[in-house]
Amino acid sequence: MTIKSFSFSQLADMRIEGVGIHASYSIDIVIKDENSSSGKNVYISATGKSNAARAAGTGSLLFWCKVRDLLSNKIYSLERKKGEGFAVGFDDFVIGSIMFHIPYNSSSAPKIELEAGYLYDAGYAGTVIPFPRSLKRVIALTQFNRR
């Protein structure tokens, strides 16, 4: 069993008065992977952070995160819905968590691709997406147990 923690930052811009470069954000990921007899069980949780809502004065942030298993090409979503979720700390928001299984593959190492971002919800004025709209990273997991 291996537990890894990652923090990824993305410079971003949002054309809303008072926001601009304050639309930059970071995503914190915790990954636990453990080998099983048929492959690997993967547990992922994520939080997001940005100053965009504070800079604009009103509104809320809706973070999202997608994880793709690069061996099977399956996509898993860690998304919270509008009006759901809670703040973890000052400007920190829970994105979600997911558990999935990667079947054993003797010819390839297990890897996942993470894509994450957020929407700024200004209420009656609508939603705005920062530019660039998301960040992508590839994360190599520990090798499968040799059979």
Side-chain angles (χ1 to χ4, degrees), residues 93-107:
F93 296 93
V94 171
I95 297 173
S97 61
I98 190 79
M99 184 194 89
F100 57 94
H101 181 77
I102 300 175
Y104 179 77
N105 185 328
S106 61
S107 62

Side-chain angles (χ1 to χ4, degrees), residues 10 25 64 115-118 129-137:
Q10 177 66 55
Y25 59 96
W64 58 272
E115 183 178 13
Y118 73 93
I129 300 169
F131 177 80
R133 69 177 310 262
S134 65
L135 63 83
K136 278 189 179 180
R137 302 290 187 273

Side-chain angles (χ1 to χ4, degrees), residues 40-57:
K40 185 174 290 292
N41 294 320
V42 180
Y43 307 87
I44 299 175
S45 64
T47 59
K49 181 177 191 169
S50 178
N51 292 324
R54 234 181 339 136

Side-chain angles (χ1 to χ4, degrees), residues 8-84:
F8 301 114
S9 295
Q10 177 66 55
L11 289 176
D13 185 32
M14 189 178 291
R15 294 295 153 180
I16 295 177
E17 184 179 347
V19 179
I21 196 69
H22 298 294
S24 299
Y25 59 96
S26 63
I27 305 292
D28 294 325
I29 306 290
V30 176
I31 301 173
K32 175 180 145 186
D33 70 76
E34 56 187 9
N35 289 306
S36 69
S37 59
S38 61
K40 185 174 290 292
N41 294 320
V42 180
Y43 307 87
I44 299 175
S45 64
T47 59
K49 181 177 191 169
S50 178
N51 292 324
R54 234 181 339 136
T58 61
S60 62
L61 304 180
L62 301 171
F63 279 93
W64 58 272
C65 182
K66 293 180 184 176
V67 176
R68 183 166 61 108
D69 169 10
L70 293 176
L71 291 179
S72 68
N73 219 22
K74 289 184 181 177
I75 297 175
Y76 305 94
S77 181
L78 291 78
E79 188 174 353
R80 75 178 173 102
K81 306 294 185 235
K82 183 177 178 177
E84 294 179 354

